[in-house]
Amino acid sequence: MRGTILIVEDNQLLRDSLTYNLRKQGYTVLSAASGEEGLEKARREKPELMIIDIGLPGVDGLEVCRMVQAQSKTPVIFLTARGEETDRIVGLEIGADDYVTKPFSMGELLARVRAVLRRTRALAAGLPTAEVIRARDITIDQSTHQVAIGDRQVALPPKGYELLRLLAANAGRVVDRQAILDAVWGEDFFGDPKTLDVHIHWLRQKIEPDPHEPQYILTVRGVGYRFPPQ
């Protein structure tokens, strides 16, 4: 099964081109011309992946992503024509899985779609059998994606959650950088490997008492990261 993809793009020519090419690959494709329409279709149709233009009129793509991620774990690929890196960073921080800068080749976009879907399906299929992971004083409820440190609930974006889940499930073992990138971003990840360091920084800001002296996410220089044993 190829899956259902929702395109939220106000440019009709691009929207139609994306729809045509994705359908040729066997995907079921839905489309929306505005953020409001995209949100309504996302709630009703529950697509497996969303492709969202950041520069939408009215409710922009960043806000659409925020609202979608507040209600589900639907993966998101951003389309952006903007030169500023800020929008891309914000998009990744609020839960987007990838981004493509216009103009782009259709082959590149299709490769990213395949990579994101393969990664999210693999994560869903490969979760540990226990619903709850406990490592030191951190509790990860995999059925609800809720994280608690002691009695304190911590809200994490999707990438932060997957990073913490992976490291906590392997407590006491070093997980090398490539293994983390493959597990969380997928084997076909096209981005800068330093993306991992940025997400580790954000995760530490969320969970560490002192992010400059981490207790949970430990760096093993030249290798990767380690969650300390019980």
Side-chain angles (χ1 to χ4, degrees):
M1 182 183 67
R2 279 292 193 171
T4 299
I5 298 174
L6 172 58
I7 301 165
V8 188
E9 167 62 63
D10 62 313
N11 183 308
Q12 184 175 345
L13 288 176
L14 178 55
R15 191 170 67 247
D16 290 347
S17 176
L18 290 170
T19 298
Y20 172 78
N21 281 279
L22 287 165
R23 283 178 177 164
K24 276 184 63 178
Q25 297 297 313
Y27 298 103
T28 299
V29 182
L30 308 170
S31 66
S34 68
E36 293 88 346
E37 184 185 3
L39 286 167
E40 192 276 328
K41 286 192 174 181
R43 294 189 190 104
R44 188 178 70 239
E45 304 293 343
K46 297 179 174 54
E48 191 174 3
L49 171 69
M50 294 181 69
I51 299 173
I52 305 174
D53 181 15
I54 286 184
L56 294 169
V59 179
D60 69 16
L62 293 174
E63 186 59 25
V64 172
C65 183
R66 275 195 199 92
M67 297 175 74
V68 167
Q69 293 295 337
Q71 299 173 22
S72 71
K73 300 300 178 184
T74 306
V76 170
I77 296 175
F78 272 135
L79 304 179
T80 176
R82 302 180 184 181
E84 293 86 358
E85 188 178 15
T86 304
D87 286 331
R88 297 194 290 272
I89 292 174
V90 171
L92 293 171
E93 187 171 19
I94 64 177
D97 290 75
D98 205 348
Y99 65 86
V100 181
T101 302
K102 301 175 185 177
F104 53 84
S105 72
M106 196 58 64
E108 178 189 4
L109 178 68
L110 292 173
R112 290 175 185 254
V113 165
R114 288 192 296 270
V116 169
L117 287 175
R118 183 162 56 247
R119 178 168 70 248
T120 54
R121 288 168 179 170
L123 285 170
L127 293 175
T129 55
E131 284 195 352
V132 177
I133 297 173
R134 292 185 175 88
R136 300 187 71 177
D137 59 343
I138 290 182
T139 302
I140 303 170
D141 188 332
Q142 297 191 103
S143 64
T144 62
H145 281 216
Q146 291 183 332
V147 175
I149 302 177
D151 296 327
R152 176 172 67 93
Q153 294 291 319
V154 180
L156 295 177
K159 283 291 184 293
Y161 171 83
E162 297 298 346
L163 278 171
L164 181 60
R165 185 195 70 84
L166 176 66
L167 294 171
N170 289 278
R173 296 194 291 270
V174 178
V175 185
D176 70 63
R177 295 176 61 86
Q178 191 59 54
I180 296 172
L181 287 169
D182 288 349
V184 178
W185 277 268
E187 294 181 2
D188 292 336
F189 176 61
F190 287 92
D192 188 336
K194 291 183 180 178
T195 295
L196 172 59
D197 303 309
V198 173
H199 280 79
I200 290 288
H201 171 76
W202 288 336
L203 180 57
R204 283 172 170 161
Q205 296 294 319
K206 291 280 191 179
I207 70 170
E208 298 283 2
D210 180 358
H212 300 292
E213 296 290 339
Q215 299 177 18
Y216 301 112
I217 309 298
L218 308 181
T219 300
V220 180
R221 295 194 180 280
V223 182
Y225 295 94
R226 178 176 68 92
F227 196 101
Q230 304 292 345

